[in-house]
Amino acid sequence: MTWLTPLYAGIAAAVAIPTLLILYFLKLRRRDVEVSTTLLWKKAIQDLQANAPFQKLRRNILLILQLLVLAGLLAALGQPQVKRQAVTGARHVILIDRSASMNATDEDDGRGGSITRFEAAKRQAVALVESLREGGLLDQDRADEAMVIAFDTQAEIRQQMTSDKAALRRAIESITPTEAPTAIEEAVRLALAQKPRRVEENVGLTTGPPVTFHVYSDGRIPDAATAAPSPDDSVEFHRLGTVDAANASIVGMRAERSFENPNRLSVYVSLENTQPRPRTVDVELLIDGVGAGIKPTTIPGASGDGLGLSGAEAARAASAEAATRAAAGVAPPADEESVRARPIPGTSGVVFSLERGQGAVVQVRLRDPGTGAPLVGDVLTLDDAAFLVVPPAKKLAVAVVSAKGNLFLSSALQGLPLSKLSDLTPAMFQQRVLDGTLGEYDVVILDGWLPEGARAKPLATPTPESGQPAGTIDQPVPLANAKPEDLLPPGRYIIFGEVPQRLGRVSAGLKDLGPGGAASIVDWRRDHPLLRAVNLDGLDIARSRGIEVETGSPATVLASSDRGPIILEASTNEVRAVIVPFDIAESDWPFNVSFVVFLASATGYLADETGAGASGRVVQPGSVLSDRLPGEVADVTVKLPDGKTQKLRAASDGRIVFGPLAASGVYAVSWTGPFGPTDVEGDDGRPTRYYAANLFDRVESDVGAAAQVELASRVVESRAEGSAIADRNLWPWLCMAALVIIMLEWFVYNRKVHV
Amino acid sequence: MLKTATPTRPKGIEDLLTSDLIARLDPLDLTSKKVFFGKLKGERRSKKRGQSVEFADHRPYSVGDDTRHIDWNIYARLDQIFMKLFLEEEDLSLQLVLDCSASSDCGEPSKFLFMQKAVMALGYVGLVNLNRVGATAMGGLAGEGDAAAPAGAVSSVVRDLRGRRRVHELAQWVCSLEPGGDFSFKEAAERIALTRRGKGLMLVFSDFFFKEGFEEGLRRLVGHGYDVFVIQVLSPQEIDPPLTGDLRLKDLEDADTAEVTISAPLLKKYKANLAAYCQHLGSFCARREMTHMTVRSDTPIDVLVLDYLRKRGVVR
């Protein structure tokens, strides 16, 4: 125990205690009354004293009490402090969903109108904060504490754990809704990370005091199964929104240009409807803000049998469910129906075809049929519109760098609608690197040749067929000594028959194991955009090339044979490459139609990554806009969908990062500097690059609130609405009780004196 | 109980007896269950044969008898000498004793004033019926000029007043009494017992709150042929003390103090003690053929004399 001000207490004690004792020595001043005789009184007193053995003690009990009171006051003046284990009140973590679906206006505002779920969530959260127990004067440690976390795809602590209700209220009020999808795992992790861990004897590291999670959400949380609060934490799910909220939404939009006729632009729009009934809407297409087409369409109603699930979603749901059960260690619930009861939204699609060679900002929005007004009876409006930034029609320029020419490649590329196809020798390639004219080509195909600085260590028995020059160096040129033309310059490459060791100045993390035996295809990633249209069934490779992907490599395997990877994709900051390490001449692939399709999709895929694809740059609200601007840029600004402009700082290599994006719409990044290949001239004449931010999230657009949330360790049912009970202030009642007791005491005292 | 703040002292008989009361007292006479021998001729029939107009009996003459009382008619008829005996009429001795100690001068109305009035009323009854009336003041302060000095056990005495003319003398004496000081009841009783003559009625007015006890004193008063009436006068304040708070009670007589904090149990105890004390006094008197009665000082004198004392056979 430590005393903060012992001196003051000592001085006060030296004054007060003798004073009290002296006062007590003065005794009670009794009123003198003359009576005829004291005879009977003395007898009465003696009788009473005989009845009360502690009479003497009772006479002094006042002094003892006064001394105790004085001692307490003096001790308080000394301000003692004791270190002890802190005892805290309940700890709450308020998780407020601010995702797109929380903008649905299907909550009652109590006056007959409707407010967004998000506003309702804030009101409920503030009510919860108001109901938290406050610390008393003597045990302030026991106040309930709470922290506020807002989450969409990203979680943000708005207020650390505190018992300050005003701060909590402010934190809750300051949260604004975003248009991002939902992910709760980060929020839970963030909350758990804030729990003070401590080491306890015989237990080890504990997770700190249990907290109560209050999840204010509509329950549409796709990753809920991965959120794992501690076993001693409790979770309360405050459901916002209604289960049968009606919403028609655009869940996907894509623009494609015809391969043969790039001027022909097709815009594909995917629609969903959460209502049980079919719904007719007008889908309106606007090009640069001008109406270009309108198509009425009927979206089928939501079905309750789960048949509407897309393959991927069904698989995801199934795996999440399985993970949940495995983690919880429980058998599948008997009432499968209740889990499956959620209706699957009806889906539909609309295709607009139009002739447009130039770039355009394409907007699609849903309108009420006939009137053209915004949709009526639609709880979520922000998914009723979607944007695409369609770059100008452009054919690709492709260069093939080959030491000795490749008939297969050339003939296959001949058939593709390219704007330019050049055959380059390695010397010409290196010359163009030095000249800086390599940028003319969108994609460079390296056939059995790599610059020296990127090349693999030669094999012990070089094969003449693979086109590797004999007598090359043992190691790649050390990076410090590498000449610029010896490295792969930034760009997009398809590499055949070689294993690059460096991509630009970065290690590729690939280990060349040399030629192997015959191999046949085992598996490939059919869902990858590059291989989506490619059928590799029956591909036979006579001479495979062993390759091993090291940990931390930027490369990912797209297709594997029984002897290892045969198609890889590698991507660094500067270089993107599709690597086919084996020699295609040693396989039957060039004779297969899939080879041509592969070349077409690989060039298209790589070019697409530059933003040259027909759908342009698409980001999702809640994610970060990250891109690289060409060369030396300055004075970078970004124009937000609401018209505001913000300044950005570009890194030295032209990299910009902005976000997370709060709203959907078109973001325009302008700068002073050179134009990139796909950049257009903006309103102020500067190079401008457009990004379309769209929700495009089926889970968010399916606005019906979930009745329960399945976390990794448990299933949390939604709480009944309005069941939060506010604490009543008891002190007025206590004061009144005290008053009554004082009156009673007065009465008793009088009873004691008068008979 | 409480000392009377401004005691009113009677100036004369008119303060003690109202004419109305006198009118009601006039037909009364003193009486006693015991018939005593008187000392002087009076209006009371005596056991003695003596000189009066009322014939009682005859007896044979014996030598030395007064020849004046020979019944000559009998002698003429029977030739024997018989003496005529007449009923003797004698007076009754009334002894009034009152407590003049400081404790008497207490209460509202004052116990002492009450006792003065009672003594005066009874003395009046005695005097108008030609009884010998004597009065003794126990304790009290000596007469005028020396008011502060306690006079010992008996401060003042009047003896052998007789006849209506002496009423004023008695009143003067009663008015001259000044209560105060302390005295020993035992000593006072001894002196009264020693100095009195004859037999008769004795009425003792006091509160009988004596620290040394009343037993010794009463024992000395009884047993000399006196018909003793013990009249305990208590003020209403003594019966129901109007006290509250933390008090230091001071005894008026011996300056003894008692520190009390008045509480309901204490008051209850006090009342029980008072009742027990009165009962003890009563039973003590009953065992010794004394008549005991407790009177509140706010009792009207006519009620005391015409009701209580008549019932107990003091007056008729």
Side-chain angles (χ1 to χ4, degrees):
Chain A
M1 179 149 66
T2 53
W3 296 82
L4 293 185
T5 51
L7 187 64
Y8 290 125
I11 292 169
V15 174
I17 290 179
T19 310
L20 176 67
L21 288 175
I22 287 167
L23 282 173
Y24 223 79
F25 280 132
L26 291 176
K27 284 181 89 180
L28 185 63
R29 175 187 278 266
R30 288 178 187 273
R31 196 151 50 88
D32 279 341
V33 175
E34 291 187 318
V35 292
S36 55
T37 181
T38 54
L39 182 71
L40 297 169
W41 290 110
K42 288 216 153 168
K43 216 160 159 266
I45 292 168
Q46 279 165 9
D47 287 351
L48 275 188
Q49 282 176 348
N51 289 340
F54 295 108
Q55 190 78 17
K56 276 240 182 308
L57 199 65
R58 199 168 69 183
R59 189 170 292 177
N60 285 332
I61 208 155
L62 275 176
L63 174 65
I64 293 165
L65 286 176
Q66 286 168 13
L67 280 174
L68 280 177
V69 168
L70 193 59
L73 287 174
L74 291 170
L77 191 60
Q79 297 188 40
Q81 284 186 338
V82 180
K83 284 185 172 45
R84 64 189 172 98
Q85 201 160 19
V87 184
T88 54
R91 297 164 73 90
H92 302 271
V93 176
I94 299 169
L95 299 173
I96 296 182
D97 186 351
R98 57 172 177 181
S99 65
S101 58
M102 293 295 281
N103 291 298
T105 53
D106 59 345
E107 274 289 333
D108 186 16
D109 69 348
R111 292 190 296 271
S114 62
I115 53 171
T116 64
R117 298 173 179 180
F118 182 75
E119 283 302 319
K122 289 211 295 195
R123 288 186 191 182
Q124 290 190 18
V126 168
L128 174 76
V129 165
E130 293 300 336
S131 74
L132 291 183
R133 195 159 58 103
E134 288 186 62
L137 188 63
L138 298 178
D139 55 348
Q140 281 159 342
D141 294 349
R142 290 187 180 274
D144 286 352
E145 292 187 332
M147 73 188 293
V148 179
I149 296 179
F151 69 97
D152 38 48
T153 47
Q154 289 167 337
E156 186 185 354
I157 295 181
R158 302 303 291 240
Q159 176 61 48
Q160 291 284 1
M161 200 60 98
T162 181
S163 55
D164 182 353
K165 287 188 177 182
L168 289 168
R169 253 195 321 270
R170 273 200 304 278
I172 292 169
E173 295 296 345
S174 72
I175 302 172
T176 50
T178 66
E179 298 177 8
T182 318
I184 198 175
E185 190 200 355
E186 188 184 336
V188 173
R189 276 182 195 282
L190 205 55
L192 292 180
Q194 301 295 321
K195 281 170 80 171
R197 287 174 166 71
R198 58 168 185 262
V199 178
E200 277 184 14
E201 213 172 329
N202 301 329
V203 178
L205 188 67
T206 61
T207 55
V211 299
T212 305
F213 288 95
H214 295 270
V215 182
Y216 290 94
S217 171
D218 49 15
R220 305 294 294 148
I221 307 171
D223 70 336
T226 59
S230 304
D232 51 352
D233 293 338
S234 54
V235 182
E236 284 187 15
F237 168 42
H238 303 261
R239 179 166 63 87
L240 282 308
T242 50
V243 176
D244 53 355
N247 185 35
S249 57
I250 301 172
V251 295
M253 184 160 121
R254 197 159 53 87
E256 278 186 7
R257 288 188 184 277
S258 164
F259 217 69
E260 288 77 27
N261 180 9
N263 286 337
R264 182 154 198 84
L265 183 68
S266 299
V267 177
Y268 300 90
V269 183
S270 303
L271 305 171
E272 275 192 2
N273 174 27
T274 62
Q275 269 179 305
R277 317 188 292 281
R279 179 162 191 173
T280 304
V281 294
D282 277 355
V283 184
E284 198 180 9
L285 178 77
L286 293 93
I287 303 289
D288 290 337
V290 181
I294 190 158
K295 281 194 178 181
T297 183
T298 300
I299 317 172
S303 57
D305 54 5
L307 289 176
L309 271 183
S310 72
E313 200 177 17
R316 202 166 63 224
S319 66
E321 202 174 306
T324 310
R325 300 225 176 89
V330 295
D335 53 342
E336 196 84 14
E337 278 306 309
S338 70
V339 179
R340 289 262 171 227
R342 187 173 176 74
I344 305 303
T347 56
S348 172
V350 174
V351 181
F352 291 95
S353 291
L354 62 154
E355 290 287 330
R356 185 163 177 103
Q358 314 93 298
V361 174
V362 176
Q363 186 187 1
V364 170
R365 60 188 188 192
L366 302 185
R367 283 293 189 245
D368 221 29
T371 64
L375 282 182
V376 178
D378 192 75
V379 295
L380 192 60
T381 55
L382 61 93
D383 60 0
D384 293 345
F387 299 90
L388 275 185
V389 179
V390 179
K394 182 171 182 276
K395 288 183 176 177
L396 298 177
V398 175
V400 179
V401 181
S402 178
K404 55 186 193 309
N406 190 321
L407 182 64
F408 297 127
L409 274 177
S410 303
S411 55
L413 290 169
Q414 294 283 335
L416 297 183
L418 302 175
S419 66
K420 190 169 167 187
L421 176 64
S422 308
D423 283 319
L424 302 177
T425 62
M428 289 162 70
F429 172 80
Q430 287 181 324
Q431 184 59 45
R432 279 184 175 270
V433 171
L434 291 174
D435 295 346
T437 52
L438 193 64
E440 289 177 14
Y441 300 103
D442 295 309
V443 178
V444 176
I445 299 176
L446 298 172
D447 178 33
W449 177 87
L450 282 174
E452 269 182 30
R455 188 154 40 183
K457 174 181 163 184
L459 302 166
T461 52
T463 52
E465 292 86 353
S466 67
Q468 285 192 348
T472 48
I473 50 171
D474 289 343
Q475 296 276 340
V477 180
L479 202 53
N481 302 341
K483 288 179 280 186
E485 67 267 29
D486 287 340
L487 295 174
L488 273 184
R492 272 69 183 148
Y493 300 94
I494 302 175
I495 300 169
F496 283 106
E498 262 295 354
V499 180
Q501 296 300 297
R502 285 203 190 101
L503 299 169
R505 305 178 78 85
V506 181
S507 168
L510 298 173
K511 196 171 173 186
D512 190 358
L513 301 177
S520 56
I521 189 81
V522 172
D523 186 27
W524 73 93
R525 284 181 55 182
R526 289 171 173 82
D527 56 342
H528 194 275
L530 179 55
L531 299 178
R532 200 180 284 152
V534 180
N535 187 356
L536 295 177
D537 271 337
L539 172 62
D540 286 321
I541 302 164
R543 266 174 94 88
S544 66
R545 183 142 181 183
I547 192 166
E548 197 177 297
V549 181
E550 292 168 0
T551 324
S553 162
T556 53
V557 177
L558 299 184
S560 304
S561 72
D562 51 352
R563 287 186 182 270
I566 54 169
I567 303 175
L568 301 96
E569 181 196 1
S571 136
T572 68
N573 286 340
E574 300 178 326
V575 176
R576 296 185 64 84
V578 174
I579 303 162
V580 182
F582 67 92
D583 185 356
I584 51 170
E586 299 280 354
S587 72
D588 61 356
W589 201 19
F591 307 104
N592 199 319
V593 69
S594 68
F595 182 64
V596 183
V597 178
F598 170 77
L599 276 182
S601 61
T603 51
Y605 171 69
L606 288 173
D608 209 22
E609 290 296 321
T610 67
S615 291
R617 296 174 176 84
V618 175
V619 287
Q620 204 172 28
S623 64
V624 174
L625 195 165
S626 167
D627 202 357
R628 206 180 137 172
L629 303 181
E632 291 292 316
V633 295
D635 194 18
V636 184
T637 56
V638 58
K639 195 174 170 195
L640 306 182
D642 56 6
K644 288 180 191 161
T645 305
Q646 283 192 13
K647 276 196 175 302
L648 287 184
R649 273 182 72 99
S652 60
D653 59 351
R655 186 162 302 279
I656 55 161
V657 175
F658 176 71
L661 306 179
S664 57
V666 176
Y667 291 78
V669 176
S670 308
W671 65 91
T672 308
F675 283 78
T678 58
D679 299 328
V680 296
E681 198 172 299
D683 301 335
D684 52 358
R686 300 195 301 163
T688 304
R689 201 175 278 185
Y690 291 99
Y691 302 85
N694 294 308
L695 178 61
F696 288 169
D697 190 302
R698 286 168 178 243
V699 179
E700 291 298 321
S701 292
D702 185 3
V703 291
Q708 58 185 23
V709 171
E710 292 184 13
L711 300 178
S713 49
R714 70 195 86 170
V715 176
V716 181
E717 297 291 334
S718 68
R719 263 179 77 134
E721 280 178 56
S723 65
I725 298 159
D727 282 347
R728 188 182 290 274
N729 273 333
L730 288 177
W731 65 263
W733 299 100
L734 292 173
C735 283
M736 280 182 67
L739 193 64
V740 169
I741 291 169
I742 286 174
M743 288 169 68
L744 191 69
E745 192 194 354
W746 178 80
F747 176 71
V748 168
Y749 177 77
N750 275 292
R751 285 277 303 192
K752 187 180 152 192
V753 170
H754 302 293
V755 181
Chain B
M1 146 144 299
L2 300 172
K3 184 174 163 57
T4 311
T6 50
T8 51
R9 300 273 178 253
K11 297 280 187 296
I13 189 166
E14 56 277 2
D15 291 337
L16 295 170
L17 298 175
T18 59
S19 56
D20 181 42
L21 181 61
I22 288 171
R24 299 184 65 184
L25 290 176
D26 270 333
L28 292 180
D29 189 9
L30 293 175
T31 182
S32 173
K33 285 172 277 182
K34 303 170 182 175
V35 177
F36 302 110
F37 293 106
K39 197 174 160 203
L40 302 172
K41 280 191 92 64
E43 292 183 335
R44 194 169 306 278
R45 187 184 294 176
S46 170
K47 278 195 264 182
K48 286 197 284 187
R49 301 290 182 259
Q51 295 167 345
S52 76
V53 292
E54 205 168 337
F55 173 78
D57 203 0
H58 286 98
R59 70 168 170 81
Y61 175 78
S62 59
V63 178
D65 281 341
D66 191 345
T67 55
R68 283 178 295 179
H69 291 140
I70 292 170
D71 191 342
W72 297 110
N73 292 336
I74 299 286
Y75 177 71
R77 198 178 300 166
L78 299 175
D79 200 16
Q80 285 186 13
I81 300 174
F82 282 91
M83 302 295 289
K84 270 200 288 194
L85 298 182
F86 296 91
L87 284 181
E88 175 77 326
E89 284 195 331
E90 287 186 324
D91 59 355
L92 184 63
S93 172
L94 173 65
Q95 193 68 34
L96 296 166
V97 180
L98 80 162
D99 183 347
C100 274
S101 67
S103 70
S104 300
D105 195 19
C106 283
E108 191 63 45
S110 166
K111 291 193 285 181
F112 188 68
L113 183 61
F114 177 82
M115 289 193 276
Q116 281 176 313
K117 284 180 176 174
V119 165
M120 193 60 225
L122 287 167
Y124 178 83
V125 172
L127 287 176
V128 297
N129 288 298
L130 291 175
N131 290 308
R132 265 180 298 126
V133 174
T136 308
M138 299 186 291
L141 303 174
E144 305 92 58
D146 196 11
V154 173
S155 60
S156 177
V157 177
V158 282
R159 288 205 183 91
D160 299 341
L161 301 178
R162 203 155 179 257
R164 189 182 284 269
R165 284 178 301 162
R166 297 301 188 117
V167 167
H168 281 280
E169 205 174 315
L170 179 66
Q172 208 175 350
W173 179 81
V174 168
C175 291
S176 73
L177 295 176
E178 184 63 32
D182 192 13
F183 71 99
S184 164
F185 180 57
K186 180 183 154 194
E187 218 175 286
E190 223 159 49
R191 282 192 58 183
I192 292 166
L194 287 174
T195 52
R196 72 180 167 198
R197 285 163 294 185
K199 296 174 181 180
L201 275 175
M202 179 184 286
L203 284 92
V204 184
F205 291 90
S206 174
D207 51 16
F208 291 94
F209 290 143
F210 303 121
K211 290 262 166 64
E212 83 244 6
F214 52 81
E215 293 91 345
E216 283 296 310
L218 286 181
R219 228 175 253 136
R220 275 164 177 73
L221 289 179
V222 81
H224 285 82
Y226 262 88
D227 193 1
V228 180
F229 285 80
V230 173
I231 299 171
Q232 187 182 17
V233 181
L234 296 179
S235 67
Q237 290 78 22
E238 278 165 336
I239 293 165
D240 198 0
L243 297 178
T244 55
D246 299 311
L247 303 174
R248 186 164 56 202
L249 303 178
K250 212 161 143 190
D251 197 315
L252 279 171
E253 293 174 4
D254 56 3
D256 183 29
T257 56
E259 293 188 346
V260 295
T261 300
I262 304 296
S263 62
L266 184 70
L267 287 179
K268 210 171 147 192
K269 204 82 208 167
Y270 170 83
K271 286 178 183 172
N273 283 342
L274 179 65
Y277 192 84
C278 294
Q279 201 185 352
H280 175 54
L281 177 62
S283 63
F284 181 86
C285 295
R287 280 202 297 276
R288 285 163 182 79
E289 284 191 52
M290 291 185 278
T291 306
H292 164 256
M293 62 186 293
T294 304
V295 189
R296 287 168 65 107
S297 66
D298 54 356
T299 312
I301 292 298
D302 54 344
V303 174
L304 172 74
V305 176
L306 296 169
D307 189 359
Y308 295 177
L309 292 180
R310 183 181 267 173
K311 274 181 189 156
R312 282 168 178 76
V314 178
V315 293
R316 70 172 177 214

